[in-house]
Amino acid sequence: MKPIKVGLLGIGTVGAGTFNVLKRNQEEIKRRAGRGIEIAMVADLNIARARELTNNECEVVSDANLIVNHPDIDIVIELIGGYGIAKDLVMKAIANGKHVVTANKALLAMHGTEIFKAAQEKGVIVAFEAAVAGGIPIIKALREGLTANRIEWIAGIINGTTNFILSEMRDKGLDFDTVLKEAQRLGYAEADPTFDIEGIDAAHKVTLMAAIAFGIPVQFDKAYVEGITKLEATDIRYADQLGYRIKLLGIARRTSHGIELRAHPTLIPAKRLIANVEGAMNAVLVQGDAVGATLYYGKGAGAEPTASAVIADLVDITRLATADPEHRVPHLAFQPNAMADTPILPMSEITTSYYLRIRVADKLGVLAGVTRILADATISIDAMLQKEPAEGETQTDIIILTHQTQEKNVDAAIVKIEALPTVVGNVARIRLEALS
Ligand code: NDP
Ligand code: HSE
């Protein structure tokens, strides 16, 4: 059988990785796919670099439209990023009856509903394994491997850049900016690193996982997003002393009244496996009702780990290209006419535990005032740490870990605690998940 023809849009970090891995492992991949997979055309703004990277082994063009409109191209790989030109090209490729592989979580989290609908109508596949957790096959695990389960919750370290920053800051005492620059140099960070450090990238990814896990539309606009830029080194240290690590987690949880969808720094007990995932590594913990907890670990970013996921999608499409569209695995795991409209909960309604750091004047009765407010708000205390004031100082920190409660209870209690005359400045609050 003739090789399937692929057009690659964007030969940057992931594009170059994909080209190289496909070339290096082509014989093995052909044996798996049942036919050859050939990158016949590449589009990139930097033609000279693209020619060099592809060793003049395929046609290189600067206008990506030439690929999405080319009659001989069967599959388009979109590795440009963003939701400007990338969206336009993906929609054109679908309209022209081409299957699409993309690593672009931003595009799918923002416009997934429209893109999957167009693909469904046209009978083509939009595959996106590389969009979540890089090389870890988590989309396939959620969509196929765990298909017997009612998924209860997912918690993942799904942004390599921020995990790398938190690990390097904690272990080597390096400062934020230095580590971010290194993550950019290594090709982990997004074109706009704000997406990484402000939690947007993690929220894009958990939004996609939630859709597949719960059979709901892709709803990034309803996700709660908080990054690591406001995290203080003091809190990382106190968390350590209490037996916890702070990680940026993407969390999706089914509850009886709706779905929690959130990405934010989170305390995790240091003894959990996932708390020990360091550097740019990613890990996703999935709780299913039949299987229990399963943990997926691996490289979440970088040229070849991400290429591994892109090529897995290429092989899947090559195998499925001839199958009747009605009998393919649905894009979002559930049949399009069987999606649920379960609401995404507002953040005030989510339930979790909390770490609170309260700066106080070292005076009699201060602690009693704080604990009274928490008791009145029915917030139960799990652990507490009160430091001696440093030599010559009159203020100190009280650290409180709470049991589970609703976010709105904690919000109200924090307002009251901050109004106490003995409390100095704002209360630092970080959410805590036992993940048990
Ligand atoms: P890069 O910026 O390294 O690569 C993008 C490439 O697209 C560049 O070569 C760029 O050219 C080219 N490009 C930009 N505009 C156009 C255009 N209009 N037509 C043709 N080519 C164009 O990005 P990455 O490879 O890092 O990321 C690609 C996608 O993969 C993104 O969606 C990203 O979120 C996702 N991803 C990335 C991972 C990673 O580890 N890097 C991991 C998982 C997903 P030029 O440089 O000249 O502008
Ligand atoms: N910027 C992303 C990260 C790339 O750091 O995880 C992988 O999606």
Side-chain angles (χ1 to χ4, degrees), residues 162-181:
T162 45
N163 205 48
F164 181 68
I165 292 174
L166 291 175
S167 299
E168 295 285 287
M169 283 174 72
R170 178 175 162 271
D171 296 343
K172 300 188 184 155
L174 296 174
D175 69 85
F176 187 96
D177 291 334
T178 308
V179 192
L180 174 59
K181 283 204 185 83

Side-chain angles (χ1 to χ4, degrees), residues 105 130-131 133-134 158-162 188-190 196 201 205 282 300-301:
K105 54 268 168 165
I158 43 181
N159 183 268
T161 302
T162 45
Y188 304 148
E190 293 303 302
D196 296 296
D201 179 71
K205 292 166 178 166
N282 279 198

Side-chain angles (χ1 to χ4, degrees), residues 71-285:
D72 293 344
I73 296 294
D74 305 299
I75 308 174
V76 167
I77 312 179
E78 184 280 303
L79 294 174
I80 292 174
Y83 24 68
I85 182 80
K87 181 184 175 209
D88 191 37
L89 291 166
V90 164
M91 293 305 280
K92 278 187 190 154
I94 293 170
N96 289 336
K98 300 185 191 315
H99 302 291
V100 173
V101 175
T102 181
N104 192 338
K105 54 268 168 165
L107 173 66
L108 294 179
M110 294 293 286
H111 301 290
T113 303
E114 181 187 347
I115 290 171
F116 295 130
K117 183 165 178 287
Q120 194 70 29
E121 283 167 6
K122 203 68 195 173
V124 295
I125 300 166
V126 174
F128 55 99
E129 184 62 71
V132 182
I136 305 175
I138 187 63
I139 298 297
K140 193 145 189 121
L142 285 170
R143 193 160 50 190
E144 298 173 46
L146 298 177
T147 200
N149 288 262
R150 183 177 158 87
I151 306 287
E152 288 160 358
W153 53 262
I154 299 172
I157 296 174
I158 43 181
N159 183 268
T161 302
T162 45
N163 205 48
F164 181 68
I165 292 174
L166 291 175
S167 299
E168 295 285 287
M169 283 174 72
R170 178 175 162 271
D171 296 343
K172 300 188 184 155
L174 296 174
D175 69 85
F176 187 96
D177 291 334
T178 308
V179 192
L180 174 59
K181 283 204 185 83
E182 180 63 0
Q184 286 175 298
R185 192 187 68 76
L186 292 166
Y188 304 148
E190 293 303 302
D192 177 359
T194 316
F195 274 43
D196 296 296
I197 59 180
E198 294 299 354
I200 300 163
D201 179 71
H204 285 152
K205 292 166 178 166
V206 74
T207 298
L208 292 173
M209 289 197 289
I212 294 174
F214 307 130
I216 55 169
V218 178
Q219 299 164 79
F220 172 68
D221 55 330
K222 298 202 180 117
Y224 173 79
V225 187
E226 184 183 316
I228 62 165
T229 48
K230 295 195 182 71
L231 257 188
E232 292 190 26
T234 322
D235 294 315
I236 297 176
R237 234 180 11 253
Y238 284 145
D240 223 24
Q241 288 171 20
L242 287 157
Y244 290 83
R245 297 274 163 82
I246 300 182
K247 297 286 183 188
L248 181 74
L249 281 194
I251 297 171
R253 178 180 281 127
R254 194 200 290 270
T255 77
S256 55
H257 46 296
I259 285 162
E260 297 182 0
L261 183 61
R262 47 197 171 98
H264 52 70
T266 314
L267 270 81
I268 317 174
K271 62 183 179 212
R272 298 266 177 273
L273 267 180
I274 195 169
N276 296 284
V277 171
E278 303 292 1
M281 302 305 279
N282 279 198
V284 184
L285 191 52

